[in-house]
Amino acid sequence: MAAACCLGCGVAQGATVQVDVLDAAGKPLADAVVFLESAEASRQVRPLAGAEMAQEKRQFVPGVLVVPVGTEVRFPNQDSVRHHVYSFSPAKKFELKLYTGTPSNPVLFDRPGVVALGCNIHDQMVGWILVVATPHYARSAGAAGRAQIDNVPPGNYTLRAWHTRLPVGAPAHEQALTVPATGGAPVPVRVAGLQP
């Protein structure tokens, strides 16, 4: 189903796409990740420099990190206790055995998908890295649940929306989206199947 998008115009490189992310009941959903995929977008992907998923106060910070395919992520431990970071996710399986400070080698995220993180020592520690095959992504912020993606070239895309409350292994919501050169309104996206 094709939808119109909101264009903030002004920038020669592309449009501004605004997405209103809603839950199944139609309420705004904060902290969702939205991203636009197309063959052209995948050719424009470049690794992100300086990406980090820290551990502070026995939590992953940020709780969700979005990175383009090919990005290396460092995992600095800023706690006074040691952590043992791991993932068994199909998109990236890895293990950083008990350590303090910052491991010398970053972890390369070379496949798109959701990577759930845990700590073998502290079971309450859960984090996510969403690896995307596009340079066009954003998170929905605040009570309005609106995400804004800038500099999107006109064209046809698959708009995907993902949230940590989706069941593990559940695909991101998807819908077709045409980004015109001018005009448009915010795109509503409803994400169903969220866990409490």
Side-chain angles (χ1 to χ4, degrees):
M1 165 178 162
C5 67
C6 176
L7 303 176
C9 304
V11 181
Q13 295 102 333
T16 295
V17 175
Q18 291 184 348
V19 181
D20 289 335
V21 187
L22 311 169
D23 64 15
K27 295 181 180 174
L29 187 61
D31 296 323
V33 177
V34 296
F35 50 107
L36 300 172
E37 294 181 332
S38 72
E40 182 59 31
S42 67
R43 288 191 287 273
Q44 297 170 358
V45 172
R46 300 292 177 269
L48 188 64
E52 287 189 347
M53 175 64 86
Q55 297 106 65
E56 297 175 11
K57 299 179 184 173
R58 298 180 187 184
Q59 295 181 21
F60 287 106
V61 178
V64 176
L65 177 65
V66 186
V67 298
V69 170
T71 297
E72 293 184 331
V73 178
R74 294 199 175 274
F75 289 83
N77 178 357
Q78 298 172 353
D79 285 333
S80 58
V81 297
R82 299 194 310 170
H83 292 300
H84 184 138
V85 177
Y86 70 91
S87 173
F88 297 125
S89 301
K92 187 66 179 184
K93 294 178 181 170
F94 72 96
E95 184 175 23
L96 300 173
K97 296 192 176 178
L98 280 171
Y99 71 95
T100 56
T102 302
S104 57
N105 294 323
V107 177
L108 173 64
F109 290 85
D110 51 0
R111 292 178 51 194
V114 177
V115 179
L117 304 173
C119 175
N120 253 353
I121 308 304
H122 307 101
D123 290 341
Q124 81 283 1
M125 287 179 62
V126 178
W128 292 267
I129 296 178
L130 181 59
V131 186
V132 295
T134 176
H136 311 301
Y137 58 89
R139 289 183 65 179
S140 61
R146 179 167 286 181
Q148 179 172 305
I149 307 173
D150 295 319
N151 299 325
V152 180
N156 296 317
Y157 295 89
T158 299
L159 168 62
R160 298 191 192 279
W162 177 85
H163 197 276
T164 60
R165 288 174 42 207
L166 283 169
V168 173
H173 167 83
E174 69 175 64
Q175 66 188 57
L177 177 69
T178 297
V179 177
T182 60
V187 180
V189 171
R190 240 174 235 240
V191 181
L194 296 175
Q195 299 175 329

